[in-house]
Amino acid sequence: MVDFEVGVILPCAGSGERLGGVIPKQYCKVLGKPLFMYALEAFDQLPYVKRIALVVDKHEQVRSWIQEFGVNEEKITVVKGEATRHRSIRAGLQSLQKNEDSMKVVVVHDAVRPLVPRPVVDELMLAAERHGAAGLTRPLVSTVLEPGADGLLARCLDRSRHLASETPQAFQLGVLAAAYAKCSAEDLDTGTECLELARAHACVRACLIQGPEELWKVTHKKDIYAAEGCLREAMNSVCIVAAEESEAVRLLAESLSCRVASVRHVRSAADPPAGSSKDTFNTVIFFHEHEIDQENQLLEFATMLDFEKQGLIVHVMDHTSSDGMQTMSVYDLHCAGRSMAKHYEKLRKGVAVIHRLTPGEDARLAELVASLVLSDPPTFSGQTLFL
């Protein structure tokens, strides 16, 4: 257990030239939030983190976002970024030293790495306290080639003997301060690796810990799309409520199983999900025979709904064995859906209603519901669809 105080340095300046476009990658909106907010929120939620130095180049805009998304402003110091990575990290370190005297460990994490797994961060903190420095690594995916001055191959490194350095990295406060105090101008202008600074200038060899595969960095345009998919998956816990395990329910659960954080099937509110009665979900899919009783259903499932996270409620109406649709107009159905959407807004939930009219369309129904679950909840909220 981490029982000491920790400070965090989040470098969040720079132009992000490799991404292309006019907006630096750290400020690109992903699922409605600037990319850097995900890392900031993750560290803000850790109870042992006392202060976060957010090193930026757009003070007023960043402060506005911090207020908009409700991050704990008392814990965050916004620091002016400098021309290089090491100079910006040093500025963040100096800010932490100025404001805190009880901090034992300092974390350095790239703000454009949005996924911060709590268990591995805890392990990293303890390793840094014990060894002086600790860093996360991943196996190399590609072989590394060293070119000669003439542009021709000089040598090829053995991939099995090398690792990719990732963040977060953690250091005893004194170790990181000593390393930056002895940095040369060349280190500050051209270097990128904090673990090497600790080795070269503070004589501390970092403990290397293999991290999970989600420790990747948004660098190129394609990474923005990957970040969106990974964040949506990490944020989405789905509960399917259906009295019977029909083919459509089975196909839907199968389709979502590898695309969301968790998916469970229950038959009623009295039938808690397998594994834990304390599970909560931000997205719920109801399968109905003919009618929607939204008021009673929300009351029944209130303890299972996660109202902190934005999500979607999908009602699937099966009309294949009845003629109940014959007396209802599309306009009335659409108005009912829009009214329901306003009712759910205060719960941070979107809502969509699917009327299934054609029998034998289990695969298409599962595909349609899955596509709604994996979309932005507000996008289809209030929509009425027919299959």
Side-chain angles (χ1 to χ4, degrees):
M1 184 180 71
V2 180
D3 58 1
F4 47 84
E5 292 183 352
V6 172
V8 177
I9 303 169
L10 285 180
C12 189
S15 60
E17 292 177 356
R18 286 174 290 182
L19 185 75
V22 297
I23 302 175
K25 57 191 174 184
Q26 62 269 28
Y27 304 134
C28 286
K29 292 288 186 74
V30 178
L31 301 182
K33 290 182 185 178
L35 180 63
F36 79 89
M37 286 297 303
Y38 291 98
L40 181 64
E41 289 175 337
F43 283 106
D44 178 49
Q45 291 167 9
L46 296 178
Y48 48 76
V49 170
K50 187 173 184 181
R51 181 152 295 277
I52 301 171
L54 181 63
V55 189
V56 304
D57 52 6
K58 293 187 177 182
H59 272 237
E60 295 308 314
Q61 179 63 77
V62 167
R63 289 182 187 279
S64 174
W65 279 322
I66 290 173
Q67 292 176 351
E68 178 183 351
F69 293 103
V71 185
N72 182 5
E73 293 184 67
E74 294 183 359
K75 189 186 282 190
I76 300 165
T77 301
V78 180
V79 181
K80 181 177 176 55
E82 298 193 20
T84 66
R85 173 180 170 80
H86 275 328
R87 289 186 184 278
S88 288
I89 293 173
R90 185 180 64 173
L93 176 63
Q94 290 170 344
S95 172
L96 292 180
Q97 289 178 295
K98 187 186 304 181
N99 291 291
E100 303 295 342
D101 56 7
S102 58
M103 205 171 284
K104 194 165 188 178
V105 169
V106 176
V107 178
V108 178
H109 181 68
D110 297 321
V112 291
R113 297 176 186 260
L115 300 172
V116 186
R118 169 71 185 269
V120 77
V121 173
D122 290 351
E123 183 182 359
L124 188 72
M125 300 303 103
L126 297 172
E129 182 198 25
R130 180 178 179 183
H131 298 280
L136 298 177
T137 65
R138 288 291 300 162
L140 287 173
V141 175
S142 301
T143 300
V144 179
L145 305 179
E146 181 181 328
D150 56 3
L152 302 178
L153 178 64
R155 67 174 178 142
C156 174
L157 299 184
D158 182 351
R159 187 172 64 187
S160 66
R161 298 179 59 190
H162 298 82
L163 296 168
S165 177
E166 311 287 353
T167 72
Q169 298 172 345
F171 308 83
Q172 291 178 7
L173 177 58
V175 169
L176 192 60
Y180 273 102
K182 295 179 181 180
C183 274
S184 66
E186 184 179 358
D187 287 332
L188 293 172
D189 289 339
T190 63
T192 59
E193 180 53 70
C194 294
L195 299 180
E196 174 58 16
L197 290 186
R199 186 197 68 80
H201 299 309
C203 299
V204 172
R205 297 173 63 202
C207 173
L208 302 181
I209 300 170
Q210 181 167 325
E213 63 180 12
E214 59 260 44
L215 295 176
W216 47 270
K217 180 180 179 181
V218 172
T219 303
H220 301 101
K221 189 173 182 179
K222 62 182 176 60
D223 298 328
I224 290 288
Y225 303 112
E228 183 173 320
C230 291
L231 286 167
R232 194 187 302 282
E233 176 182 327
M235 295 162 57
N236 222 345
S237 298
V238 180
C239 182
I240 303 172
V241 182
E244 298 180 1
E245 188 162 352
S246 63
E247 181 67 5
V249 170
R250 186 189 68 78
L251 290 172
L252 177 59
E254 186 178 277
S255 173
L256 291 174
S257 62
C258 61
R259 300 158 80 183
V260 297
S262 65
V263 58
R264 300 284 189 273
H265 169 222
V266 301
R267 288 171 172 77
S268 69
D271 176 24
S276 172
S277 60
K278 298 180 180 179
D279 286 349
T280 58
F281 307 90
N282 64 308
T283 294
V284 181
I285 303 159
F286 293 100
F287 280 78
H288 309 272
E289 283 300 318
H290 308 303
E291 296 180 348
I292 299 176
D293 186 3
Q294 61 171 329
E295 292 291 343
N296 288 333
Q297 284 177 330
L298 282 178
L299 288 173
E300 288 176 14
F301 285 89
T303 58
M304 292 168 58
L305 283 171
D306 184 345
F307 296 112
E308 294 300 316
K309 293 181 182 177
Q310 194 174 56
L312 188 68
I313 294 177
V314 181
H315 294 285
V316 180
M317 306 284 291
D318 192 346
H319 300 282
T320 56
S321 60
S322 73
D323 57 0
M325 287 289 292
Q326 293 182 6
T327 60
M328 304 174 72
S329 72
V330 172
Y331 176 77
D332 289 338
L333 292 171
H334 179 67
C335 288
R338 299 301 295 170
S339 174
M340 198 182 302
K342 290 190 176 185
H343 178 73
Y344 283 7
E345 273 180 10
K346 61 180 180 290
L347 306 176
R348 293 179 59 81
K349 305 298 174 195
V351 63
V353 181
I354 301 173
H355 293 277
R356 183 186 188 186
L357 308 178
T358 310
E361 294 283 359
D362 296 310
R364 288 185 62 200
L365 176 61
E367 183 181 347
L368 175 58
V369 177
S371 67
L372 291 174
V373 170
L374 297 172
S375 68
D376 285 326
T379 301
F380 292 99
S381 186
Q383 296 301 306
T384 302
L385 301 97
F386 299 90
L387 181 65

